[in-house]
Amino acid sequence: MSNLNKDILHSIFEELQDDGNSLYNLLSVDIVWSETIIPILWRNPWKYFNDKKNETISREEKRFLLNDKKKKSLLDVIISHLSNETRDTFKLTTTYEKPLFDYIGYCKHLNLSDLEEIIDIMEYEELDVYNEIFKLFINEKTRITHLYIPRQFNYQLHLIPGVENCLLGLEYLRCSTLTKDDVLDGLAEICKSIKELNFNIYNIYNQEGREDYNYDNVTENGIVKLIQRQKKLNKVHFYYGESMYMRTTNSNSLYKSIENSLIGHAKNIQYFSANKKPFTNILSSFKNLKSLEICDDYYSSIHDQPNFPIFYFPFSLPSLPLPPLPPLPSLQILKVGDIPINDLISLFKSSKGLCEIKIEYSTIDIEHNKRIIQAIYENCPNLKYLGIPFNNIYILELEKLLIKCQYLEGLYLNIGEVNYEELFETLARCSPNSLFRFKFEFKFQTNRIKRITLKSFKLFFHHWQGKHPMLLQTIGMSLNKSEEHSYLIENYKFLGVIKKYDDIELGKNNFKDFEWIKQMPFHETSFDGNIANRARGIYLI
């Protein structure tokens, strides 16, 4: 087969990289297909351990057993890569023969948390076993692009022989303030091309509840040095741990130093997410920010105050006000939770190019919700995807939004008290031609479930006939759905009104906010296929 054909095959298989089942089934076509597919499947073998799909079809115990089986399978493959001498020294056995492919060499993602769990299956306490396995993944020949460091990780990663070549092209890093400074210092010397940083910020407390962290040279902190030395950083995720609310004057300097270390990358950063508003005005520096995902707290949103009273924690000082969110004129994607209303409306007014908005509030009063909807249709004419909390009292505002936002393609309503017939009639009558993706989340309280009548759904589907077939998801519908509801939906699927329908249990939604069609991950039966492929030396997790 020519190189051109191999290139075409590679492009096709890359499009299927998130569809493990399809790629797996194509392995047996011939050796060229196998050689092309296997590097794609083994690029990130750890993602198959975190398959949330199993949560929706089985109990947690079954998911645990499945993951345990996957990890043992991967352990067998890892052991098969060790030399005979190493296996004999530590008395390691595997059901696999010497592999036909260098699977570990194909790994571009290294999740050290999962790798530690896999090694722990052997119940070896000798550090030498860890050394030998780590050296399989980190050496002069391997090239890791995504590195995940667990919260408590004491291994001197930066001292492994060949680490300079292995991590030179690192693009993604996940770590935390609990990562040892010497490890971060070592990575700062090696890695200069990180594009995406996922960083967890924790205060460190001793058993008496006092801070156990040296703030004397906070500007020399390992993560600060690592951030400052990057040349391509454009995506940042900060997670402030719960202990951040136990703030002191000293710990504030840590948060501020970490945030201020981003100033040198202000022109390049286009994506920023955090579970708390930053302590500094760093967001005002991000003039080219395209995507912002940020949360505040329930108290701030209902009182429209920028700070949280820290009276729950005995060792904390009074909280200082956090700065308001600045204008972000380049913003296109906004996802917020419990943000002060004035901050939110100011963002709508300054960000005329918003095309995707997702808003969540723990609770919200009538006037605030009305102001939000009004601000959206007055300032966001190019909106394509919208997710908002919704109650029936805003039905006229929703109608105006549907009329003014003519490019809307997807609508996600988190529904409270609603007259469903009126809501569905409005959606069928006023939706722009571009809108055909709907997601309704029903957060019912068990003691006052209001049934969605067949009449209201039938009205919606009946008036939708002749329009683009809809993609429909309901979240929490199973609490008040009858067999008649299911029959009605199947009937309108047959008539071409509904193209695809998913009913998802509350708390078990593994779709992204604006995702209606999901690629299927590896199915459990992939393990059976593993046996058939061993004869050819093709091993899968």
Side-chain angles (χ1 to χ4, degrees), residues 336-350:
V336 297
D338 288 328
I339 289 293
I341 302 299
N342 289 337
D343 273 3
L344 185 56
I345 292 177
S346 294
L347 275 177
F348 293 151
K349 291 180 178 179
S350 68

Side-chain angles (χ1 to χ4, degrees), residues 348 351-352 354 357 375-383 404-405:
F348 293 151
S351 310
K352 300 294 185 180
L354 280 170
I357 298 173
I376 290 173
Y377 67 66
E378 289 173 357
N379 296 283
C380 308
N382 299 317
L383 194 62
K404 293 192 175 185
C405 298

Side-chain angles (χ1 to χ4, degrees), residues 341-509:
I341 302 299
N342 289 337
D343 273 3
L344 185 56
I345 292 177
S346 294
L347 275 177
F348 293 151
K349 291 180 178 179
S350 68
S351 310
K352 300 294 185 180
L354 280 170
C355 59
E356 183 176 314
I357 298 173
K358 177 66 165 56
I359 301 170
E360 293 183 359
Y361 279 94
S362 303
T363 185
I364 187 169
D365 63 34
I366 294 173
E367 186 58 32
H368 281 173
N369 206 346
K370 182 179 179 180
R371 287 178 62 198
I372 289 173
I373 297 176
Q374 287 176 341
I376 290 173
Y377 67 66
E378 289 173 357
N379 296 283
C380 308
N382 299 317
L383 194 62
K384 290 186 176 181
Y385 295 96
L386 174 64
I388 53 173
F390 185 79
N391 285 303
N392 202 65
I393 197 166
Y394 321 119
I395 196 71
L396 293 179
E397 298 303 323
L398 177 64
E399 184 173 335
K400 292 177 185 178
L401 187 147
L402 293 171
I403 293 171
K404 293 192 175 185
C405 298
Q406 284 294 300
Y407 299 103
L408 198 62
E409 297 179 13
L411 183 62
Y412 182 164
L413 296 182
N414 196 322
I415 296 174
E417 292 295 328
V418 165
N419 180 322
Y420 295 106
E421 291 185 20
E422 188 176 5
L423 169 62
F424 291 149
E425 189 275 332
T426 300
L427 290 175
R429 177 170 51 85
C430 300
S431 291
N433 292 332
S434 57
L435 180 58
F436 65 95
R437 298 176 175 92
F438 295 98
K439 190 174 296 200
F440 304 127
E441 183 167 0
F442 307 97
K443 291 190 173 178
F444 299 104
Q445 294 183 12
T446 346
N447 58 348
R448 54 184 185 88
I449 293 175
K450 183 177 179 182
R451 182 168 292 281
I452 304 173
T453 65
L454 287 171
K455 180 182 177 182
S456 59
F457 258 134
K458 188 173 183 179
L459 180 70
F460 186 27
F461 300 146
H462 174 75
H463 287 292
W464 200 262
Q465 292 184 95
K467 297 186 177 185
H468 192 297
M470 69 172 69
L471 300 177
L472 177 63
Q473 283 185 14
T474 54
I475 305 169
M477 178 73 178
S478 55
L479 290 175
N480 68 355
K481 187 176 67 173
S482 65
E483 290 185 6
E484 288 80 4
H485 285 83
S486 299
Y487 177 79
L488 180 71
I489 289 169
E490 290 301 317
N491 184 46
Y492 277 97
K493 284 175 69 175
F494 176 78
L495 294 174
V497 175
I498 302 173
K499 182 177 181 180
K500 185 176 184 293
Y501 171 70
D502 291 287
D503 179 36
I504 305 162
E505 290 184 44
L506 279 175
K508 296 186 177 180
N509 183 14

Side-chain angles (χ1 to χ4, degrees), residues 127-153:
L127 187 60
D128 288 343
V129 174
Y130 285 80
N131 291 340
E132 293 299 324
I133 291 179
F134 281 150
K135 285 191 290 186
L136 287 176
F137 289 88
I138 299 178
N139 55 67
E140 290 185 354
K141 295 182 179 180
T142 55
R143 296 293 182 269
I144 299 299
T145 60
H146 293 65
L147 179 63
Y148 310 78
I149 302 178
R151 287 180 57 177
Q152 300 290 349
F153 186 76

Side-chain angles (χ1 to χ4, degrees), residues 27 33-43 100-103 106 537-540:
L27 277 173
W33 285 45
S34 295
E35 290 174 347
T36 310
I37 292 171
I38 285 175
I40 298 174
L41 287 173
W42 276 86
R43 181 181 299 154
L100 178 63
F101 296 93
D102 178 17
Y103 298 102
Y106 296 138
I538 298 176
Y539 303 145
L540 299 175

Side-chain angles (χ1 to χ4, degrees), residues 203-212 215 242-252 255 309-319:
N203 281 357
I204 305 171
Y205 292 89
N206 58 28
Q207 292 181 349
E208 289 75 36
R210 301 291 180 180
E211 285 183 290
D212 189 14
Y215 294 97
E242 290 181 2
S243 59
M244 68 163 288
Y245 293 117
M246 301 171 68
R247 290 190 287 154
T248 68
T249 303
N250 284 334
S251 62
N252 274 343
Y255 305 134
I310 319 216
F311 48 78
Y312 295 106
F313 307 106
F315 306 109
S316 58
L317 297 179
S319 174

Side-chain angles (χ1 to χ4, degrees), residues 23-119:
L23 287 176
Y24 181 83
N25 291 330
L26 295 172
L27 277 173
S28 57
V29 173
D30 62 31
I31 190 64
V32 175
W33 285 45
S34 295
E35 290 174 347
T36 310
I37 292 171
I38 285 175
I40 298 174
L41 287 173
W42 276 86
R43 181 181 299 154
N44 181 13
W46 325 98
K47 68 181 179 181
Y48 305 117
F49 299 149
N50 303 308
D51 176 12
K52 293 182 179 179
K53 175 177 177 286
N54 293 300
E55 295 177 3
T56 65
I57 60 173
S58 61
R59 295 184 182 277
E60 189 66 25
E61 290 82 5
K62 184 177 179 182
R63 178 172 178 266
F64 173 81
L65 291 174
L66 176 62
N67 278 339
D68 192 47
K69 187 176 181 181
K70 289 180 179 179
K71 289 174 181 176
K72 287 180 180 177
S73 179
L74 180 53
L75 176 60
D76 270 342
V77 177
I78 291 172
I79 292 174
S80 73
H81 281 71
L82 293 171
S83 66
N84 291 335
E85 180 183 355
T86 301
R87 280 188 277 175
D88 291 342
T89 299
F90 297 106
K91 297 182 172 59
L92 301 176
T93 59
T94 175
T95 57
Y96 289 4
E97 298 177 357
K98 199 67 177 175
L100 178 63
F101 296 93
D102 178 17
Y103 298 102
I104 293 179
Y106 296 138
C107 290
K108 303 301 179 186
H109 293 242
L110 178 54
N111 190 318
L112 294 171
S113 177
D114 284 332
L115 183 57
E116 280 190 320
E117 288 184 21
I118 288 169
I119 298 174

